[in-house]
Amino acid sequence: MAPVAAVTSSIVVMSATATRAPLLEPTPASSLTSPADTATPSITAKPATALPTKPLPPLPPTMTPDNLPQIIGASYEGRPIYSYRFGNGAIPIVFVGGIHGGYEWNTILLAYQAMDYFAAQPYRIPANVTLFIIPVANPDGLFAVTQKEGRFLGEDLAEDTFPGRFNGRNVDLNRNWDCQWSATAVWRNQPVSGGSQPFSEPESRALRDYFLGKRPAMVLFWHSAANGVFAAGCPETDGQARQLAAIFGSASGYPVYERFAYYPVTGDAGDWLSTQGIPSISIELKTHETLDWEENLAGMLALLAHYHKQSQ
Ligand SMILES: [Zn+2]
């Protein structure tokens, strides 16, 4: 992957505005339903699980009660992991930010921007799809870098974001899944912990159980910063993942890759999902600082249109 980028004051200025930036003018998507068709009945959010007992965060002004977060589990240090819902269709799909925590904080801001976009424009979600977004899969890693558990500003970022890659037990959560797992894993040219066994970490278990419960049609993970779309598979590239990567890649302009081949990745979340019949792709943003919003918006809308077509 690209070298670790230095965090400079210019990043602070950029990201300080990122969460509050006005939404981009949407690209017309004639295949999606119009605003007039979105009078969906309000659905009462399921009560949060008992774990943990913290109150739910306040909804941003752009969100509706339909988007109320669900707590799907807790981190090693006890921080809640939230999933937010958009739409109400029969086909669930899931987008995940921040599995590498504060080290890849731009994937978290991108996930929040996507949440704000779909909350403000619910008609972008086809009637047959429900989109779930988990903005922070590794809240310990985000906290290590920002001292925040949710939305943050660029000025909150520590100078050294590397420690935020791991959870509170110093495990790389994208090396902890049961596909070609190894306790000693690799990140670029250095060893990282894959945990004591597959799914040794509470974050991985929470996500695993969430995915197995929902059986989503696909799962997208955001990472940074290898600039590309990567199809998952264990050990061979999954055919459906390859197709989804091509759809996202052609809409977004990111290069599409069969595999992440820069260095061996063991215990990858998306690879494990393929063993469960759930196709997965990873989007690697171009840098550690940019949100690549236009690219990702185009890719997300293309994925939604793909599932919309499946019902016709
Ligand atoms: Zn990553």
Side-chain angles (χ1 to χ4, degrees), residues 26-35 117 123-126 301-302 304-305 308:
T27 310
S30 57
S31 65
L32 300 184
T33 53
S34 72
Y117 176 86
Y123 61 92
R124 293 293 179 191
I125 309 289
L301 293 179
L304 292 170
H308 179 59

Side-chain angles (χ1 to χ4, degrees), residues 1 98-101 103-104 107 165 172 174-175 187 222-225 263 283-284 288:
M1 283 203 225
I99 196 170
H100 280 142
Y103 177 63
E104 296 177 3
T107 71
R165 180 179 175 90
D172 187 321
N174 204 40
R175 302 291 185 274
W187 173 71
W222 277 301
H223 289 270
S224 60
Y263 49 85
I283 313 303
E284 291 268 0
H288 279 302

